[in-house]
Amino acid sequence: YGPLVTALRARMREILAADEAELSIWRMQIEAAIGDGLPLLSGFIPELAPILGTQDAAPTGTATGDEDRQRFQTLFDALLRAVATAQAPFVIVLDDLHRIDTSSASALVRLFEDPRGHAIIVIASYCRDNPDAASRVGDLASTIRGHGATVTEQVLAPLSVGDSVALLRDSLTPTESSLRALGDYVFGATSGNPHLTRLLLEALHRRGTIRYDSHRRLWSWSIAEDQPHLDLLGTLAERLVDIPPETQEALAAAACIGLHFDVSLLRELR
């Protein structure tokens, strides 16, 4: 339930930041939904205890046995529905949907098969270039669509030169000169890849090519016409140097195993 637990914990922090009147309303809704299920849920979502005004709940942290797993599933589904209202819709953002765990995928299906409907929007991204990933996401989307939910798919193309310039204008405003040439340079180096664009801009800023003048409150930049493009792979390698040695060793071992691996196997290799 990792990605959904992360989303729920963020939602709970929003609720905790509300004023007392609004917090009281949320408290009643959540209590009505989960009843005495706080000990089972609080091990995964510790923010629940202060919302319900109970600090001494004994979290179990795990759900063992078929009965406990079934009860946790029921409580988890009820909590998802309780924090999504017409007045405060719940927006869940899931990156790399093709890697979603089975429990989270099943929870989404149960959520959207509920005929009562709920004020929940799920925004998810996935890699279409991987046939297995596209097939898995397609099956999940078809199942959810079959229960009457609206599923909209939008293919995201690489950034254009104009997109790159627009991004720079949003990020480097005000500036003392036109950003068109810088946009051309960025696009030429990244071919419109959003991740590489961010990586390149961060590298240019670290090297002083893009800089902010705090006295004049202006951004400025300087790139020669014949300046070679940065080695982005080298830049990634430089960032890895800042990672603790133990983590670097773990990453190196994980890279040898492949995209999917068991943590216990990684522990044995180390």
Side-chain angles (χ1 to χ4, degrees):
Y1 291 96
L4 296 184
V5 166
T6 299
L8 275 171
R9 293 191 64 182
R11 182 66 152 184
M12 296 303 149
R13 289 192 289 271
E14 291 178 3
I15 293 173
L16 281 170
D19 59 46
E20 185 55 39
E22 184 178 354
L23 181 59
S24 177
I25 295 174
W26 281 117
R27 182 180 297 119
M28 288 188 292
Q29 290 180 187
I30 293 173
E31 284 179 338
I34 69 172
D36 61 354
L38 177 61
L40 193 56
L41 290 173
S42 60
F44 299 88
I45 310 170
E47 293 82 2
L48 269 175
I51 288 177
L52 299 180
T54 305
Q55 298 292 345
D56 56 354
T60 64
T62 58
T64 58
D66 291 340
E67 289 188 8
D68 277 352
R69 278 192 288 270
Q70 182 60 48
R71 185 159 186 258
F72 177 85
Q73 174 181 301
T74 301
L75 290 170
F76 191 83
D77 293 356
L79 181 60
L80 274 173
R81 299 183 182 102
V83 298
T85 67
Q87 295 75 25
F90 189 14
V91 179
I92 301 174
V93 180
L94 301 175
D95 197 13
D96 292 336
L97 182 62
H98 52 284
R99 297 177 182 170
I100 192 170
D101 62 274
T102 302
S103 297
S104 295
S106 298
L108 289 177
V109 171
R110 293 193 302 272
L111 187 67
F112 287 110
E113 73 182 1
D114 189 334
R116 293 170 295 179
H118 301 282
I120 292 182
I121 299 175
V122 177
I123 301 174
S125 67
Y126 73 97
C127 179
R128 298 176 72 247
D129 296 335
N130 184 321
D132 292 337
S135 175
R136 186 181 185 199
V137 172
D139 291 343
L140 178 59
S142 296
T143 301
I144 291 174
R145 188 183 287 112
H147 292 301
T150 300
V151 179
T152 303
E153 185 172 359
Q154 175 69 50
V155 178
L156 300 179
L159 300 175
S160 65
V161 176
D163 294 330
S164 299
V165 174
L167 174 64
L168 292 172
R169 286 175 180 158
D170 288 340
S171 306
L172 307 178
T173 299
T175 183
E176 63 180 7
S177 56
S178 171
L179 292 168
R180 181 68 197 195
L182 179 59
D184 289 339
Y185 175 84
V186 170
F187 180 79
T190 65
S191 299
N193 182 295
H195 176 67
L196 294 181
T197 296
R198 175 178 177 177
L199 184 67
L200 176 60
L201 292 176
E202 290 175 347
L204 292 175
H205 182 254
R206 284 198 305 272
R207 299 183 182 200
T209 304
I210 297 175
R211 52 199 172 274
Y212 181 69
D213 188 328
S214 57
H215 295 292
R216 295 190 298 159
R217 297 184 178 180
L218 286 175
W219 285 95
S220 62
W221 58 274
S222 55
I223 294 180
E225 291 185 5
D226 58 348
Q227 180 169 329
H229 292 307
L230 286 176
D231 177 8
L232 294 178
L233 291 179
T235 301
L236 276 173
E238 290 176 4
R239 296 180 65 177
L240 290 175
V241 174
D242 297 329
I243 298 176
E246 296 81 2
T247 306
Q248 292 185 41
E249 292 178 9
L251 287 173
C256 295
I257 301 172
L259 183 60
H260 301 287
F261 57 87
D262 188 89
V263 176
S264 60
L265 174 59
L266 180 61
R267 189 179 298 113
E268 290 178 10
L269 291 176
R270 294 191 62 212

